[in-house]
Every structure is written in C-alpha cells, then in structure tokens.
Amino acid sequence: MPAPLSHRLIEVFDAVMRTGHLTRAAERLHTSQPTVSRDIARLEQVLGMVLFERVRGRLRPTPRALALQQEVARSFIGLERIQARALSLRDFAEGRLELACLPALAEALLPAATRHFLARQPLAGLSVTPLESPQLEQALSDQRHDLGLVERRDAPAQTLLEPLLSADEVVVLPAGHRLLERRRIAPADLAGETFISFAPTDPYRQQVDALFAAQGVQRLLALDTGSAAAVCALVRQGLGVAIVNPLSALDRAGPDLHVRALTVSVPFHVGLVLPALRGLHPLLEDCRQALHTAARELLGRLDPAADQTEDRD
C-alpha cells in the first residue's frame, strides 16, 4: 500500500508553488531550507511522480505539479473559509438571536430595537417570531427562544423575567376631534363617544370596560378588533376613539392619529423573558441594551403630562 499523504507535505508543496523558491518557502513555513527540500522529496516519493525539475539550482514545477496545485488551492481556500468562520463564531460576530414576542411589540418596539442592535452587532442576525398569548408563554417555557417579550410582570414557567418598561395606556384620537385641546382625558370625557375596543376576551378590554363601568360612563361600543395596530387604523379613519398601549400609539402617531394621557392609570408592562434551562446567548446583552434604548426613545415622545416612566428595577 502507498504511504499516507500528510497535510504537512501538502502545506510544504503549496508554499513552494506560491513562492517559487525553497528558501522563501522555508521562511513562510518558519523552518529550514533543507527541511523543505526533504519534504518535497518525500512528497514525490509518496505520490510516485516527479513534481519539480531541478534547473540551475532552482525548482521548476512539472505539468503534474501545476495540475495538483489547482486542487490544493481549492482545498486551502476552503480551509481559509473554515478558519474565518470559526473566528467569527468564536467572537459571535455572525450569531443569530431567536426572539419571540406579542405581535404588537413586534410592530411597535422591535423595529427601533433591531436598528440599535445591529448598530452594536452589524454582522449578527435576529429572528423575531410574533406569537399570541398563550402560545407565546408556552414557547418560552419550552425554551424554544433565546429571549422573549411579554406584557406581564410574572415569569412563565421555566423562565426568568426582568422588567423592561412600565407605563400607562393612552387615549388615541382622530384628527379634528373635540378633545384634542386637552392634554389629559378623563373617562367621563369619553361619554357618548364611539369607542373602538379589543376583542371581548382580551384582558385589556376587560380592564378598560371595568374602569368605565365603575365610573358609570356609557360609550358606543360598535367596533372591536384583535390588535392595537387594527385599533389605531380604525381611529385614523375617524371611526372612533380608543385606549391602547403607548408603544403602539406612539409608533403610529401623526396628523391623523393623536395621543393623549388618561387621568387614571391603566397599567401597561413589558418584561424580558430569559430561558432558565439553557445557557444565555452571547448576543443577549447587546439585544437587551437595544431594547431598553428603543423603549426610552418611544416613551420619551409622550406628553410630559402623561408621567410615563421606564421601570429599571
């Protein structure tokens, strides 16, 4: 059987072909010229063919050597790519973070947070999976994601939760509405208004309905829908008023949609959820900081009378 071909012999052959000289190849490999010469002779013996002709003290590659170098070059390019990929993985410059959150947060908070995240880690990837509750909490409990965002203050099973922000729900009004002259709006101010609600089973819908019932305020409840984005779209069309979370409201605020504070508190909380049964992702801290920055920016756009503050506990 022929002697085995070692990577070292191929490395010596590649250095000689690239430099065209035994001495320079030896310098490239940090070894001696006699060692390179012996390795080339050994390679020719192993392959059973002449690779170089000795002409006036120099090596001239044979056609077989030139053909072999093409294959070696492809292999070495592959090794260089593997090495570069290994280095990027070591530094996690090209890592991918898997994040799950409610659709409202994917639309209102994540775009700005992603911009800040990629400014910190330009080669990183971020996969955002919008999920409704309770599918979101189940996915986080199953450790399927590196990070989650929930609108609650208690951690789902098998997870850890830290507060991201705490604020109050806000009123959204269409252009030209009679209440735009007010900076803060009381529930009684909305008496008789066409009110756009969330679905009857939504916890925020139930909380808002209980608030108006406690104050004896009657509204016209003709329209309801399943998301804050849809609620804001209906308000923008002048079809009514609504109470929504401040992130969705501020993200869509403009000439056709105006945001006002309530005189009473309807709490809105967002928490960061971390998996408890798997290691923390190396990119997690950069993503966490990006989310905090985006939350501060959005809440900073609220009217000071709203007295919204980020929860840093």
Side-chain angles (χ1 to χ4, degrees):
M1 294 182 64
L5 182 63
S6 70
H7 184 272
R8 170 64 182 178
L9 294 179
I10 294 299
E11 186 179 32
V12 171
F13 170 74
D14 180 69
V16 172
M17 292 295 291
R18 287 174 182 264
T19 62
H21 199 278
L22 288 175
T23 301
R24 287 196 290 271
E27 293 171 352
R28 184 187 183 103
L29 297 171
H30 305 289
T31 187
S32 65
Q33 184 269 335
T35 299
V36 172
S37 182
R38 285 195 299 269
D39 286 340
I40 289 297
R42 176 62 176 162
L43 178 60
E44 291 180 325
Q45 180 184 14
V46 169
L47 297 178
M49 62 183 180
V50 176
L51 296 173
F52 298 95
E53 297 174 349
R54 279 70 177 175
V55 179
R56 297 175 185 174
R58 300 192 62 177
L59 297 182
R60 177 183 297 170
T62 65
R64 288 188 175 90
L66 294 172
L68 179 62
Q69 176 60 10
Q70 293 180 3
E71 188 64 34
V72 170
R74 285 194 290 268
S75 299
F76 271 68
I77 289 173
L79 287 174
E80 290 169 357
R81 289 177 179 171
I82 291 172
Q83 183 181 31
R85 179 61 174 162
L87 290 174
S88 71
L89 290 174
R90 183 192 66 188
D91 299 331
F92 240 88
E94 297 181 36
R96 178 169 292 275
L97 190 73
E98 303 282 343
L99 184 149
C101 64
L102 292 168
L105 299 178
E107 296 168 358
L109 179 63
L110 262 297
T114 300
R115 173 168 52 83
H116 291 297
F117 174 64
L118 293 180
R120 291 170 171 264
Q121 292 285 353
L123 298 179
L126 179 64
S127 294
V128 178
T129 302
L131 292 171
E132 294 286 0
S133 183
Q135 289 82 9
L136 172 62
E137 288 79 6
Q138 186 60 57
L140 295 173
S141 295
D142 291 343
Q143 317 291 294
R144 284 186 246 156
H145 301 276
D146 302 304
L147 177 64
L149 295 177
V150 295
E151 293 179 8
R152 54 191 288 175
R153 305 201 81 170
D154 57 316
Q158 317 276 21
T159 70
L160 305 172
L161 184 143
E162 59 184 55
L164 174 63
L165 65 89
S166 180
D168 284 327
E169 300 266 305
V170 296
V171 179
V172 285
L173 305 169
H177 195 276
R178 64 180 180 84
L179 294 175
L180 286 179
E181 62 185 20
R182 303 193 183 187
R183 298 181 66 187
R184 296 170 68 87
I185 295 174
D189 296 330
L190 300 176
E193 290 284 339
T194 299
F195 194 91
I196 301 170
S197 301
F198 291 102
T201 57
D202 186 278
Y204 286 112
R205 162 72 182 268
Q206 296 170 0
Q207 191 174 359
V208 169
D209 285 352
L211 169 67
F212 282 100
Q215 299 201 12
V217 177
Q218 298 293 320
R219 300 159 294 156
L220 300 178
L221 302 179
L223 299 173
D224 63 68
T225 186
S227 72
V231 168
C232 290
L234 293 171
V235 172
R236 188 182 291 118
Q237 294 297 318
L239 298 176
V241 303
I243 294 175
V244 299
N245 74 78
L247 298 183
S248 296
L250 291 169
D251 185 58
R252 293 166 176 81
D256 298 325
L257 185 80
H258 299 268
V259 181
R260 293 294 184 268
L262 274 166
T263 59
V264 295
S265 175
V266 180
F268 172 74
H269 304 290
V270 178
L272 289 170
V273 177
L274 309 176
L277 303 181
R278 58 188 284 185
L280 297 182
H281 197 286
L283 291 171
L284 176 61
E285 184 56 31
D286 285 317
C287 190
R288 177 194 280 126
Q289 293 302 320
L291 286 163
H292 277 283
T293 300
R296 285 194 299 269
E297 288 178 348
L298 278 171
L299 294 182
R301 293 167 49 197
L302 282 171
D303 188 310
D307 192 28
Q308 310 290 341
T309 58
E310 183 179 4
D311 191 340
R312 297 176 179 272
D313 297 335

